[in-house]
Amino acid sequence: MKIKAVAMSSLTLLMLSPLAAQARDLGDDMDALAANYSAVMKTDDPATLQHALNGMHDAALDARNGTPPKLKGQPADSAQMKDFRQGITDLIGQIEQAQALAQKGDIKQAKAVAAQFKQTEKVNHAKFR
């Protein structure tokens, strides 16, 4: 009986660990976006480019669920929170556009789209940082 309880507890923890690993702080997501953006802009290797864009995509998806410090205490359905999430959604769309180009092997164009990420960052940091 005791062994079954330990086994069930271990199994439960094992199943929940990927979920815990995915839930990051908004600051961590922003750091991941910045690091991967740097990799995107520095590489000409298709595999490295795709890997970095995938990292950006994952971080942006997670960031969309966060709340910037400037908006702490705001209701989730407030206009400012909706605007924050829309800014992240816009970035996700740009990342997906760059991913599609990278998958086709058009590295130059993928990097041109990625260069637009900086303008999205600038606009949204002015509002929410």
Side-chain angles (χ1 to χ4, degrees):
M1 183 75 163
K2 204 174 191 182
I3 293 174
K4 280 186 180 181
V6 170
M8 288 301 287
S9 294
S10 297
L11 182 59
T12 301
L13 288 173
L14 183 62
M15 290 173 58
L16 292 176
S17 64
L19 296 175
Q22 288 178 329
R24 295 180 296 238
D25 178 76
L26 183 59
D28 293 337
D29 290 326
M30 294 301 148
D31 290 345
L33 283 167
N36 282 300
Y37 177 76
S38 179
V40 165
M41 298 312 289
K42 289 179 182 177
T43 191
D44 287 321
D45 177 59
T48 302
L49 179 64
Q50 288 180 11
H51 181 75
L53 287 168
N54 290 341
M56 289 189 76
H57 192 262
D58 291 345
L61 287 173
D62 193 60
R64 190 167 48 186
N65 297 321
T67 302
K70 190 173 184 176
L71 300 182
K72 288 285 186 208
Q74 290 280 329
D77 62 347
S78 73
Q80 288 179 311
M81 282 299 295
K82 287 179 182 178
D83 194 26
F84 167 73
R85 285 191 299 274
Q86 184 59 53
I88 297 291
T89 299
D90 293 346
L91 177 61
I92 291 168
Q94 291 174 319
I95 293 168
E96 289 172 350
Q97 184 181 2
Q99 285 176 310
L101 290 164
Q103 287 174 352
K104 291 179 183 176
D106 193 348
I107 295 170
K108 184 177 180 179
Q109 192 60 34
K111 288 174 75 167
V113 169
Q116 297 171 10
F117 300 169
K118 275 296 183 190
Q119 180 61 30
T120 302
E121 174 192 38
K122 182 180 177 181
V123 167
N124 288 287
H125 276 185
K127 295 180 196 177
F128 306 113
R129 195 168 192 199

PDB file of all heavy atoms in Angstrom, residues 4-18:
ATOM      1  N   LYS A   4       2.490   1.803  -3.345  1.00  0.00           N
ATOM      2  CA  LYS A   4       1.569   2.364  -4.335  1.00  0.00           C
ATOM      3  C   LYS A   4       1.424   3.871  -4.154  1.00  0.00           C
ATOM      4  O   LYS A   4       1.385   4.618  -5.129  1.00  0.00           O
ATOM      5  CB  LYS A   4       0.185   1.711  -4.220  1.00  0.00           C
ATOM      6  CG  LYS A   4       0.085   0.370  -4.877  1.00  0.00           C
ATOM      7  CD  LYS A   4      -1.351  -0.110  -4.831  1.00  0.00           C
ATOM      8  CE  LYS A   4      -1.483  -1.464  -5.488  1.00  0.00           C
ATOM      9  NZ  LYS A   4      -2.855  -1.942  -5.479  1.00  0.00           N
ATOM     10  N   ALA A   5       1.372   4.318  -2.918  1.00  0.00           N
ATOM     11  CA  ALA A   5       1.233   5.749  -2.644  1.00  0.00           C
ATOM     12  C   ALA A   5       2.471   6.512  -3.117  1.00  0.00           C
ATOM     13  O   ALA A   5       2.356   7.584  -3.728  1.00  0.00           O
ATOM     14  CB  ALA A   5       0.997   6.000  -1.162  1.00  0.00           C
ATOM     15  N   VAL A   6       3.631   5.975  -2.864  1.00  0.00           N
ATOM     16  CA  VAL A   6       4.871   6.609  -3.306  1.00  0.00           C
ATOM     17  C   VAL A   6       4.936   6.608  -4.834  1.00  0.00           C
ATOM     18  O   VAL A   6       5.310   7.617  -5.456  1.00  0.00           O
ATOM     19  CB  VAL A   6       6.100   5.892  -2.693  1.00  0.00           C
ATOM     20  CG1 VAL A   6       7.390   6.385  -3.337  1.00  0.00           C
ATOM     21  CG2 VAL A   6       6.134   6.088  -1.191  1.00  0.00           C
ATOM     22  N   ALA A   7       4.555   5.519  -5.450  1.00  0.00           N
ATOM     23  CA  ALA A   7       4.572   5.422  -6.910  1.00  0.00           C
ATOM     24  C   ALA A   7       3.606   6.431  -7.527  1.00  0.00           C
ATOM     25  O   ALA A   7       3.948   7.107  -8.509  1.00  0.00           O
ATOM     26  CB  ALA A   7       4.217   4.010  -7.357  1.00  0.00           C
ATOM     27  N   MET A   8       2.421   6.559  -6.968  1.00  0.00           N
ATOM     28  CA  MET A   8       1.436   7.507  -7.481  1.00  0.00           C
ATOM     29  C   MET A   8       1.931   8.947  -7.307  1.00  0.00           C
ATOM     30  O   MET A   8       1.776   9.776  -8.199  1.00  0.00           O
ATOM     31  CB  MET A   8       0.080   7.321  -6.785  1.00  0.00           C
ATOM     32  CG  MET A   8      -0.645   6.045  -7.211  1.00  0.00           C
ATOM     33  SD  MET A   8      -0.972   5.983  -8.970  1.00  0.00           S
ATOM     34  CE  MET A   8      -2.267   7.191  -9.085  1.00  0.00           C
ATOM     35  N   SER A   9       2.517   9.233  -6.155  1.00  0.00           N
ATOM     36  CA  SER A   9       3.044  10.580  -5.916  1.00  0.00           C
ATOM     37  C   SER A   9       4.164  10.901  -6.900  1.00  0.00           C
ATOM     38  O   SER A   9       4.227  11.999  -7.455  1.00  0.00           O
ATOM     39  CB  SER A   9       3.582  10.707  -4.491  1.00  0.00           C
ATOM     40  OG  SER A   9       2.537  10.594  -3.573  1.00  0.00           O
ATOM     41  N   SER A  10       5.039   9.948  -7.123  1.00  0.00           N
ATOM     42  CA  SER A  10       6.143  10.149  -8.061  1.00  0.00           C
ATOM     43  C   SER A  10       5.626  10.368  -9.473  1.00  0.00           C
ATOM     44  O   SER A  10       6.112  11.248 -10.194  1.00  0.00           O
ATOM     45  CB  SER A  10       7.086   8.943  -8.045  1.00  0.00           C
ATOM     46  OG  SER A  10       7.667   8.807  -6.773  1.00  0.00           O
ATOM     47  N   LEU A  11       4.642   9.575  -9.864  1.00  0.00           N
ATOM     48  CA  LEU A  11       4.061   9.699 -11.199  1.00  0.00           C
ATOM     49  C   LEU A  11       3.398  11.063 -11.366  1.00  0.00           C
ATOM     50  O   LEU A  11       3.560  11.721 -12.394  1.00  0.00           O
ATOM     51  CB  LEU A  11       3.057   8.575 -11.453  1.00  0.00           C
ATOM     52  CG  LEU A  11       2.399   8.560 -12.828  1.00  0.00           C
ATOM     53  CD1 LEU A  11       3.461   8.436 -13.913  1.00  0.00           C
ATOM     54  CD2 LEU A  11       1.411   7.416 -12.925  1.00  0.00           C
ATOM     55  N   THR A  12       2.687  11.504 -10.357  1.00  0.00           N
ATOM     56  CA  THR A  12       2.025  12.802 -10.405  1.00  0.00           C
ATOM     57  C   THR A  12       3.050  13.922 -10.540  1.00  0.00           C
ATOM     58  O   THR A  12       2.887  14.825 -11.369  1.00  0.00           O
ATOM     59  CB  THR A  12       1.161  13.023  -9.144  1.00  0.00           C
ATOM     60  OG1 THR A  12       0.194  11.974  -9.068  1.00  0.00           O
ATOM     61  CG2 THR A  12       0.462  14.367  -9.186  1.00  0.00           C
ATOM     62  N   LEU A  13       4.104  13.879  -9.748  1.00  0.00           N
ATOM     63  CA  LEU A  13       5.150  14.895  -9.841  1.00  0.00           C
ATOM     64  C   LEU A  13       5.830  14.880 -11.199  1.00  0.00           C
ATOM     65  O   LEU A  13       6.140  15.922 -11.768  1.00  0.00           O
ATOM     66  CB  LEU A  13       6.182  14.708  -8.731  1.00  0.00           C
ATOM     67  CG  LEU A  13       5.720  15.074  -7.328  1.00  0.00           C
ATOM     68  CD1 LEU A  13       6.782  14.676  -6.310  1.00  0.00           C
ATOM     69  CD2 LEU A  13       5.411  16.545  -7.226  1.00  0.00           C
ATOM     70  N   LEU A  14       6.051  13.702 -11.726  1.00  0.00           N
ATOM     71  CA  LEU A  14       6.686  13.566 -13.032  1.00  0.00           C
ATOM     72  C   LEU A  14       5.810  14.174 -14.124  1.00  0.00           C
ATOM     73  O   LEU A  14       6.295  14.864 -15.015  1.00  0.00           O
ATOM     74  CB  LEU A  14       6.965  12.089 -13.333  1.00  0.00           C
ATOM     75  CG  LEU A  14       7.698  11.786 -14.627  1.00  0.00           C
ATOM     76  CD1 LEU A  14       9.092  12.434 -14.595  1.00  0.00           C
ATOM     77  CD2 LEU A  14       7.831  10.300 -14.815  1.00  0.00           C
ATOM     78  N   MET A  15       4.513  13.965 -14.017  1.00  0.00           N
ATOM     79  CA  MET A  15       3.599  14.498 -15.021  1.00  0.00           C
ATOM     80  C   MET A  15       3.466  16.017 -14.917  1.00  0.00           C
ATOM     81  O   MET A  15       3.285  16.692 -15.916  1.00  0.00           O
ATOM     82  CB  MET A  15       2.226  13.833 -14.880  1.00  0.00           C
ATOM     83  CG  MET A  15       2.234  12.377 -15.310  1.00  0.00           C
ATOM     84  SD  MET A  15       0.689  11.518 -14.982  1.00  0.00           S
ATOM     85  CE  MET A  15      -0.469  12.510 -15.884  1.00  0.00           C
ATOM     86  N   LEU A  16       3.565  16.565 -13.724  1.00  0.00           N
ATOM     87  CA  LEU A  16       3.413  17.993 -13.532  1.00  0.00           C
ATOM     88  C   LEU A  16       4.687  18.779 -13.789  1.00  0.00           C
ATOM     89  O   LEU A  16       4.637  19.979 -14.032  1.00  0.00           O
ATOM     90  CB  LEU A  16       2.913  18.290 -12.112  1.00  0.00           C
ATOM     91  CG  LEU A  16       1.487  17.856 -11.800  1.00  0.00           C
ATOM     92  CD1 LEU A  16       1.171  18.119 -10.343  1.00  0.00           C
ATOM     93  CD2 LEU A  16       0.487  18.559 -12.695  1.00  0.00           C
ATOM     94  N   SER A  17       5.832  18.138 -13.764  1.00  0.00           N
ATOM     95  CA  SER A  17       7.094  18.855 -13.911  1.00  0.00           C
ATOM     96  C   SER A  17       7.218  19.613 -15.231  1.00  0.00           C
ATOM     97  O   SER A  17       7.725  20.727 -15.235  1.00  0.00           O
ATOM     98  CB  SER A  17       8.284  17.930 -13.691  1.00  0.00           C
ATOM     99  OG  SER A  17       8.329  16.928 -14.657  1.00  0.00           O
ATOM    100  N   PRO A  18       6.760  19.088 -16.380  1.00  0.00           N
ATOM    101  CA  PRO A  18       6.847  19.897 -17.596  1.00  0.00           C
ATOM    102  C   PRO A  18       6.009  21.165 -17.509  1.00  0.00           C
ATOM    103  O   PRO A  18       6.379  22.201 -18.040  1.00  0.00           O
ATOM    104  CB  PRO A  18       6.318  18.977 -18.695  1.00  0.00           C
ATOM    105  CG  PRO A  18       6.487  17.601 -18.167  1.00  0.00           C
ATOM    106  CD  PRO A  18       6.333  17.728 -16.672  1.00  0.00           C
TER     107      PRO A  18
END
